[in-house]
């Protein structure tokens, strides 16, 4: 029975990974597609490949998710807690995808873990949540906003005498590189979160020791699932990021992607912090747009997005708690 539960949790985790991919595909390519630097299908293929590569570049974020958020018990009860957490994250991903809101799959997963653990009256590592989730959650959009604005100001200054047509064409090529960098950062961040949950399920199920390395098959399966999800594309959210916040031109798209990718790499490699790629790229787009004029950013839409950000952890936690009670009733 426990083996079946472990397999079930792994499958649900990979489903979450897939929904993460199509939910967050817009993070990497929305700006490139909206500026016509890349065709949608080519952009999705490039993002899928770079997601797969990025997933193999480290496991520090996976360790944070797998070891630093909750401490479920071993055995069947622990597996139910992890499974319910994943269900909460998947449901919230699908709700926000349906309404075209670029919420955070990362924070949906964190919220799911917290909600499921609290419903089961198991311990949550609040110190780790504050240090690795809450502080980066607040800082990363702020850094993304101002870094995007600074890069855009630098571009405007450096290319102030350049021919606009030639500069725009050059930045379309540059966006291919920045979009690839963004997709690589997305794989480095988001695929690792699924690795962490699968690792947690294997530890709880007694199949790997707590202090062991993440198995290679877990890394490859997570990378493949998020890549396939990315290639499936999330067009609803892509329209929000690419057009509805601000109409981007190629230099603006490059600045936003470069800023967001820099924040993702720093958080993952430097701190092992599971930050939201969605928050980071959205805030970078806002920062870039604000350099043109504050009114260029559609702040009403931005406000709706921020509301979704604030609701994500508690909403996913509530759904996960409900999922826990149902699963526990059936399998407990």
């Amino acid at each position: 029975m426990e083996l079946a539960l472990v397999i079930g949790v792994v499958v649900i985790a990979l489903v979450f990974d897939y929904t993460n991919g199509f939910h967050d595909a817009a993070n990497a390519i929305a700006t490139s597609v909206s500026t016509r630097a890349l065709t949608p299908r080519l952009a999705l293929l490039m993002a899928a490949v770079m997601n797969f590569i990025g997933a193999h570049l480290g496991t520090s974020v996976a360790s944070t998710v797998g070891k630093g958020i909750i401490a479920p018990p071993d055995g069947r009860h622990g597996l139910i807690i992890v499974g319910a957490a994943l269900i909460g994250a998947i449901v919230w991903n699908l709700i926000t995808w349906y309404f075209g809101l670029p919420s955070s799959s990362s924070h949906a997963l964190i919220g799911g873990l917290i909600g499921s653990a609290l419903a089961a009256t198991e311990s949550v590592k609040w110190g780790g949540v504050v240090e690795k989730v809450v502080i980066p959650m607040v800082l990363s959009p702020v850094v993304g906003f101002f870094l995007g604005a600074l890069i855009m100001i630098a571009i405007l200054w450096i290319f102030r005498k350049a021919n606009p047509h030639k500069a725009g064409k050059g930045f379309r090529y540059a966006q291919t590189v920045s979009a690839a960098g963004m997709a690589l950062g997305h794989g480095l961040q988001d695929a690792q979160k699924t690795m962490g949950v699968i690792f947690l399920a294997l530890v709880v199920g007694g199949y790997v020791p707590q202090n062991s390395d993440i198995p290679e098959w877990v890394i490859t399966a997570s990378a493949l699932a998020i890549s396939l999800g990315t290639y499936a594309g999330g067009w609803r959210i892509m329209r929000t990021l690419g057009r509805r916040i601000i109409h981007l031109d190629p230099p603006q798209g490059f600045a936003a992607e470069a800023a967001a990718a820099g924040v993702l790499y720093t958080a993952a490699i430097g701190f092992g912090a599971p930050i939201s790629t969605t928050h980071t790229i959205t805030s970078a787009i806002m920062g870039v747009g604000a350099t043109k004029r504050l009114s260029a950013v559609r702040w009403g839409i931005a406000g709706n997005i921020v509301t979704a950000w604030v609701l994500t952890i508690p909403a996913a936690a509530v759904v996960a708690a409900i999922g826990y009670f149902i699963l526990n009733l059936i399998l407990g």
Side-chain angles (χ1 to χ4, degrees):
M1 183 64 179
E2 285 190 10
L3 175 59
L5 275 174
V6 169
I7 293 171
V9 170
V10 170
V11 170
I12 295 171
L14 293 176
V15 170
F16 165 76
D17 206 19
Y18 182 87
T19 67
N20 189 337
F22 80 71
H23 187 280
D24 291 4
N27 294 342
I29 64 170
T31 54
S32 298
V33 172
S34 69
T35 62
R36 298 180 182 178
L38 294 168
T39 63
R41 195 49 63 185
L42 180 60
L44 284 170
L45 179 60
M46 180 272 295
V49 172
M50 298 307 289
N51 263 285
F52 187 85
I53 295 170
H56 287 81
L57 296 183
T59 57
S60 57
V61 172
S63 295
T64 297
V65 173
K67 303 173 185 178
I69 305 299
I70 66 173
D74 293 337
R76 181 184 301 184
H77 191 213
L79 291 168
I80 289 172
I81 292 170
V82 177
L86 287 164
I87 290 171
I90 291 170
V91 169
W92 185 248
N93 266 359
L94 293 175
I95 290 171
T96 51
W97 166 80
Y98 180 81
F99 289 104
L101 291 173
S103 69
S104 169
S105 297
S106 308
H107 293 152
L109 180 58
I110 300 298
L113 289 168
I114 293 171
S116 184
L118 290 177
T121 64
E122 297 293 340
S123 63
V124 176
K125 299 179 180 178
W126 292 112
V129 171
V130 171
E131 181 184 350
K132 295 291 188 178
V133 178
V134 175
I135 293 174
M137 179 177 70
V138 174
L139 287 181
S140 59
V142 174
V143 174
F145 182 94
F146 286 105
L147 186 59
L150 287 173
I151 292 174
M152 191 64 225
I153 290 169
I155 288 172
L156 291 172
W157 175 258
I158 293 168
F159 294 94
R160 64 190 184 279
K161 296 181 181 179
N163 180 285
H165 177 73
K166 288 183 178 179
K169 187 176 181 180
F171 274 106
R172 278 198 173 90
Y173 291 120
Q175 263 201 281
T176 304
V177 178
S178 61
M182 183 68 198
L184 192 76
H186 182 251
L188 179 64
Q189 272 281 345
D190 284 44
Q192 285 196 52
K193 292 152 192 170
T194 300
M195 294 176 208
V197 173
I198 293 176
F199 179 78
L200 181 60
L202 294 174
V203 170
V204 169
Y207 288 91
V208 296
Q210 175 76 33
N211 58 355
S212 65
D213 293 331
I214 294 175
E216 181 57 39
W217 71 265
V218 173
I219 296 173
T220 300
S222 300
L224 186 60
I226 201 169
S227 297
L228 291 173
T230 299
Y231 189 66
W235 302 107
R236 292 172 184 263
I237 295 172
M238 205 174 298
R239 283 192 291 271
T240 300
L241 280 180
R243 299 192 184 110
R244 293 180 64 198
I245 297 175
I246 183 175
H247 183 74
L248 296 168
D249 58 27
Q252 290 173 326
F254 172 81
E257 289 168 344
V263 175
L264 291 178
Y265 296 148
T266 302
I269 297 171
F271 302 101
I275 67 167
S276 168
T277 54
T278 306
H279 292 194
T280 308
I281 185 63
T282 306
S283 59
I285 290 171
M286 293 178 189
V288 166
T291 62
K292 186 176 182 180
R293 62 181 187 280
L294 288 177
S295 60
V297 178
R298 293 169 182 166
W299 295 106
I301 292 171
N304 292 338
I305 292 170
V306 172
T307 300
W309 291 359
V310 173
L311 289 176
T312 291
I313 288 180
V318 169
V319 176
I322 295 170
Y324 165 78
F325 290 123
I326 294 172
L327 288 180
N328 195 47
L329 186 65
I330 298 170
L331 301 171

